[in-house]
Amino acid sequence: MTSPAALRGRIVVPGDDRYHLLRSTYTTVARPAAVLLPENAEEVVAALRHAREQGLPLSVRSGGHGLSGRSSNDGGVVIDLSAMNRVEVLDRAARIVRVEAGARWAQVAQALAPYGLAISSGDHGNVGVGGLATGGGIGWLVRRYGLTIDHIRAAEVVLADGTVVRADADHEPDLLWAVRGAGSGVGIVVAFEIEAIELRDIGYAQIAVEVDRGGRALRRWADYLAEAPRELSTAVTLLPHGRSLVASITAVVATADERRVRAAVEPLLRIGNTLDQHAQLAPYPALVSTAHLHANVGQQPSTTTNGLLTGMTDEDAAAIVAAAGGRHQALINMRSVGGAVNDVPADATAYAHRHQGTLVVATAFPPQRGVALDAAWRPLADRVEGAYVGFESRPGESAFERVYPGATGDRVRRLWKRYDPDGVFQALWRLP
């Protein structure tokens, strides 16, 4: 493969010592023909032009944590943005931060900590900025801060024809709308300007609660979160516990005030039989630590789907327990949303799910695959609505319609066609 001058030394092919660390994603072992490593927007343009000239499948990667595995491929070209990882505070008074798409969220948290700033950004420091910040961003501060996309004020985008465009409220507002939730289909977003929040330390609690077969503990968790202080965000993982289940609850309170942390967390201790608990104050970067940073080499193969609940009925809770404890035993995670997420109008961004309170995620691991996941998910399939693109590993028309329902999906399709008429960035969705 001939190297353009702008990318000399930054095209990695099989046989290169770097190839085994760059070819795959977190969930999928891949074998691309080449991985391109641009260091600035001009080199992204050169990389895109080079990739298109080869006539091979194209993937774009920031962190490579994406559960679908779409940020790499077999036999094609990968544009890897990991060298574009700079984080800069542009305006401390306005809390505007410029973050390049190849940074990982641990690096962002570490860079912002000296300024007393933070951005809610997923739940693992190894996740790349670009993938999360173009899909939504359900993080540890989600009920207080909202989605990551809700605070993107501008984006720098390389379009399919090689044009570099700034999208903000006054310039290309339609492009900014699409970037915030459906950005993977309009171009390569190389940098974001994001409004951060003032935050240094947070309250952190880990609680284990026994879950009865009827799921009453889960119903109480959801009922409490619907009324809880917005400072509180939680994630729940359901795990086997003898002949029942245990809910492992991670609770994050966006304040360093111990009294408010205690008041927010204590009701969680009353939703069921508490097996274990501990709480502490910690700096925000401890949640998305630099210790999380690692190469992605396909170490966690999985198949994932998800949906949202507005409230949680007794029947919903029982269905969740059935999915987690049934014969197929999917791993079930739940995240509290609502709060600040639902302050944003449903048509303000390409993420339209602005009235629900709970995100339910189901994952199957080998040797189980999609058929087993679908069987485990069946009790919930007709109870949930919508989907979050970050936790949907099987792209296609059905997934698209759940992620981008109704008028939102119609607008996404129109804008993808406008900004990428040849479908360079949408091929993996397999849309008609």
Side-chain angles (χ1 to χ4, degrees):
M1 185 176 290
T2 304
S3 301
L7 295 172
R8 191 160 293 130
R10 291 196 286 282
I11 298 184
V12 178
V13 297
D16 189 303
D17 289 343
R18 298 168 291 177
Y19 182 76
H20 75 287
L21 296 175
L22 294 170
R23 67 179 190 166
S24 300
T25 74
Y26 182 63
T27 62
T28 307
V29 174
R31 295 169 179 82
V35 179
L36 313 185
L37 298 168
E39 296 184 356
N40 53 52
E42 291 72 25
E43 292 182 3
V44 171
V45 173
L48 178 58
R49 182 177 300 116
H50 179 66
R52 295 196 67 178
E53 288 172 353
Q54 302 306 309
L56 298 174
L58 171 65
S59 298
V60 180
R61 178 166 67 216
S62 57
H65 224 248
L67 299 186
S68 71
R70 290 180 294 146
S71 54
S72 194
N73 59 61
D74 292 327
V77 176
V78 177
I79 298 178
D80 183 309
L81 304 178
S82 58
M84 300 180 62
N85 59 11
R86 289 170 286 272
V87 181
E88 179 184 3
V89 177
L90 298 180
D91 185 334
R92 176 60 183 84
R95 306 186 307 280
I96 300 298
V97 180
R98 184 179 189 274
V99 184
E100 291 187 333
R104 303 194 190 196
W105 288 108
Q107 297 167 317
V108 177
Q110 185 180 50
L112 297 185
Y115 298 91
L117 298 174
I119 297 170
S120 186
S121 53
D123 57 10
H124 197 277
N126 195 48
V127 171
V129 166
L132 182 133
T134 54
I138 297 175
W140 289 123
L141 311 174
V142 64
R143 296 183 68 253
R144 162 67 179 82
Y145 180 84
L147 303 175
T148 308
I149 62 170
D150 296 338
H151 298 271
I152 294 174
R153 302 298 176 240
E156 184 178 353
V157 187
V158 176
L159 301 180
D161 64 1
T163 305
V164 182
V165 177
R166 176 183 171 86
D168 58 30
D170 299 317
H171 307 89
E172 299 285 354
D174 283 344
L175 180 58
L176 181 64
W177 182 91
V179 162
R180 294 182 297 178
S184 65
V186 290
I188 302 175
V189 184
V190 296
F192 305 87
E193 292 178 15
I194 304 175
E195 182 180 347
I197 59 171
E198 301 274 357
L199 187 70
R200 292 187 183 274
D201 294 338
I202 49 88
Y204 170 88
Q206 196 71 45
I207 303 166
V209 175
E210 190 171 10
V211 177
D212 56 283
R213 285 291 171 181
R216 286 182 292 273
L218 303 184
R219 170 73 185 270
R220 295 184 194 113
W221 165 77
D223 287 350
Y224 171 55
L225 263 296
E227 303 296 334
R230 288 188 173 197
E231 294 166 326
L232 175 67
S233 298
T234 63
V236 179
T237 301
L238 298 183
L239 301 168
H241 179 66
R243 303 185 70 177
S244 61
L245 297 170
V246 63
S248 176
I249 304 172
T250 300
V252 176
V253 189
T255 178
D257 184 315
E258 292 187 18
R259 180 185 59 81
R260 285 156 65 188
V261 171
R262 189 178 306 110
V265 169
E266 281 184 348
L268 294 171
L269 305 178
R270 299 193 290 271
I271 66 172
N273 178 29
T274 298
L275 305 174
D276 191 21
Q277 59 167 300
H278 75 268
Q280 65 186 79
L281 294 179
Y284 176 71
L287 293 177
V288 285
S289 169
T290 53
H292 295 169
L293 298 175
H294 55 72
N296 294 306
V297 293
Q299 61 267 54
Q300 188 59 81
S302 60
T303 308
T304 302
T305 194
N306 72 95
L308 296 110
L309 293 168
T310 300
M312 187 181 294
T313 66
D314 289 338
E315 292 78 14
D316 294 333
I320 291 169
V321 171
R327 180 166 61 91
H328 297 284
Q329 293 189 333
L331 177 67
I332 299 293
N333 298 102
M334 297 182 294
R335 285 163 170 77
S336 55
V337 284
V341 176
N342 294 357
D343 289 343
V344 178
D347 61 356
T349 69
Y351 180 94
H353 312 295
R354 301 291 185 169
H355 64 273
Q356 297 94 337
T358 302
L359 173 69
V360 185
V361 183
T363 304
F365 301 97
Q368 306 276 38
R369 290 292 185 183
V371 172
L373 178 64
D374 292 339
W377 186 248
R378 196 164 292 122
L380 276 164
D382 293 331
R383 296 186 170 278
V384 296
E385 58 179 326
Y388 173 51
V389 67
F391 291 121
E392 185 56 57
S393 66
R394 293 174 290 180
E397 186 171 10
S398 174
F400 181 93
E401 290 174 353
R402 288 183 292 116
V403 173
Y404 306 114
T408 295
D410 293 341
R411 188 176 179 187
V412 167
R413 288 176 188 261
R414 289 196 303 271
L415 292 177
W416 281 7
K417 184 67 174 176
R418 182 202 302 180
Y419 290 104
D420 178 18
D422 296 330
V424 173
F425 302 110
Q426 298 133 49
L428 290 172
W429 276 98
R430 300 188 295 275
L431 298 179

